[in-house]
Amino acid sequence: MNTDMESQSAQSLIPYSELAAYLKAAGDTLRLEILRVLAKDSYGVLELSHIFNIKQSGMSHHLKVLATAGLVATRREGNSIFYRRALPLPGPGQKTRLSKMQEQLYTTLDQLPVKRETHARLIQVQEERTAASMRFFAENTDKFREQQDLIASYPVYAEQVRELLLNTPLPATDCALEIGPGEGEFLAVLAPRFDKVIALDNASSMLEKASRYAGGCNLTNIEFICGETTLARELGLSADCVVINMVLHHISSPADVFQDISCILKPGGALLVTDLCHHDQNWTREACGDIWLGFEPEDFSNWAATSGLHEGQSVYFALRNGFQIQLRQFFKPKEQ
């Protein structure tokens, strides 16, 4: 019996080789800084090379060391590979034996500030992503419906989102915020239920289109604001419900949006997200202005958890053209 217990104990120990790989990866200042930057978003090799001002070959080496240690995970976006911080998820197998150590490493790193010069280049990368998306919509406002139809037009998911909204318990119905209202169709769903609705979009041309639609439907309780979620946060906006339909794959930093929304939501308030599941249709970047090729369900779950939001219902359904849509519900905890 003692022999069996000793055998099980030995099997639960971390092998020297695995521990050495982990300590090697975590024993370099630059690699720790990379892990700090990857805390919220994923970046390509070229983007990381720019952020840290080193050659691509050097960045590739560091990422390989981090990947070998299980500290970064990869995700293919068309012809590009993006890196994100690997999650220390519990479960069977040797790769999870370092989970507690990994969690402590991340916790320690996240308390450290990003260097000023690194942060400046990081903002530059995000601004370049945002600028590319805004240029696309500014140049293609009149083609919005046609481009939307290539993947999933509003009628495809409208009824499911409306039903999810109606079944979502809310602390009050004073105010709703829709981020990226598109042509404004969902505003007609929100306006009758809430005393006030705020439509937020960083593309003035799209906001004007939504405004015309609202005017045509005689929706008189809607305020239109041109800007991003950072502006809504700075303005101190407060909402019982935030809706974001098919927008996040156009946004440079979805994780930051979750953080902003968490600040905007009232305690007990709900966030409803509709977006694409991850796909490999790289043509959507040029044809539809997409920054991201959809998202894995755990992406939303992780960003929400990091932002202090609790997960609610989830709905998934496939489309005939091969894409899959996910409808997600998250709540801000009520104050105790």
Side-chain angles (χ1 to χ4, degrees), residues 148-208:
Q148 193 180 49
D149 289 344
L150 293 173
I151 302 177
S153 59
Y154 173 74
V156 170
Y157 56 86
E159 183 57 30
Q160 288 90 340
V161 182
R162 187 189 73 83
E163 183 176 346
L164 184 61
L165 173 66
L166 294 177
N167 293 327
T168 297
L170 298 172
T173 55
D174 298 328
C175 180
L177 167 66
E178 182 173 12
I179 301 170
E183 293 191 337
E185 293 104 321
F186 201 70
L187 294 175
V189 177
L190 294 171
R193 187 173 186 200
F194 295 88
D195 297 337
K196 178 182 179 181
V197 177
I198 299 173
L200 179 73
D201 203 307
N202 64 6
S204 58
S205 57
M206 293 303 302
L207 204 62
E208 291 170 4

Side-chain angles (χ1 to χ4, degrees), residues 225-298:
I225 299 178
C226 187
E228 301 181 10
T229 53
T230 50
L231 175 62
R233 186 174 177 176
E234 291 167 0
L235 293 174
L237 297 183
S238 181
D240 302 291
C241 181
V242 175
V243 178
I244 181 165
N245 290 328
M246 301 298 285
V247 172
L248 284 175
H249 58 269
H250 295 297
I251 291 180
S252 63
S253 179
D256 285 345
V257 171
F258 271 81
Q259 292 279 1
D260 292 338
I261 291 174
S262 181
C263 293
I264 294 167
L265 276 176
K266 297 178 183 178
L271 165 63
L272 305 183
V273 180
T274 305
D275 218 298
L276 297 171
C277 292
H278 186 245
H279 60 85
D280 60 0
Q281 302 300 309
N282 195 47
W283 58 267
T284 61
R285 292 182 184 276
E286 183 175 348
C288 305
D290 293 5
I291 295 178
W292 306 106
L293 302 182
F295 304 95
E296 299 292 351
E298 55 265 32

Side-chain angles (χ1 to χ4, degrees), residues 294-316:
F295 304 95
E296 299 292 351
E298 55 265 32
D299 290 334
F300 290 165
S301 298
N302 295 332
W303 292 330
T306 301
S307 303
L309 301 178
H310 295 170
E311 193 161 346
Q313 299 182 54
S314 298
V315 179
Y316 302 87

Side-chain angles (χ1 to χ4, degrees), residues 214-230:
C217 296
N218 197 29
L219 307 178
T220 59
N221 61 337
I222 301 177
E223 178 183 356
F224 296 89
I225 299 178
C226 187
E228 301 181 10
T229 53
T230 50

Side-chain angles (χ1 to χ4, degrees), residues 103-155:
E103 288 176 357
Q104 186 59 52
L105 173 63
Y106 291 167
T107 300
T108 303
L109 283 175
D110 292 345
Q111 295 174 357
L112 299 176
V114 177
K115 289 182 178 178
R116 182 178 300 178
E117 59 271 23
T118 302
H119 185 262
R121 289 190 289 266
L122 177 64
I123 295 299
Q124 185 180 12
V125 167
Q126 294 178 343
E127 288 177 344
E128 288 173 355
R129 289 178 176 179
T130 300
S133 179
M134 291 180 67
R135 281 196 304 271
F136 178 87
F137 282 102
E139 296 169 358
N140 295 275
T141 302
D142 295 336
K143 301 178 182 178
F144 177 78
R145 173 66 70 184
E146 178 182 345
Q147 287 151 346
Q148 193 180 49
D149 289 344
L150 293 173
I151 302 177
S153 59
Y154 173 74

Side-chain angles (χ1 to χ4, degrees), residues 29-38 43 46-55 59 114-115 117-118 121-122:
T29 301
L30 178 57
R31 288 198 282 271
L32 290 176
E33 291 180 22
I34 293 171
L35 288 174
R36 176 66 181 87
V37 166
L38 293 178
Y43 296 92
L46 290 178
E47 290 178 327
L48 289 170
S49 297
H50 174 73
I51 291 170
F52 290 98
N53 195 29
I54 67 171
K55 293 182 179 180
M59 178 56 65
V114 177
K115 289 182 178 178
E117 59 271 23
T118 302
R121 289 190 289 266
L122 177 64

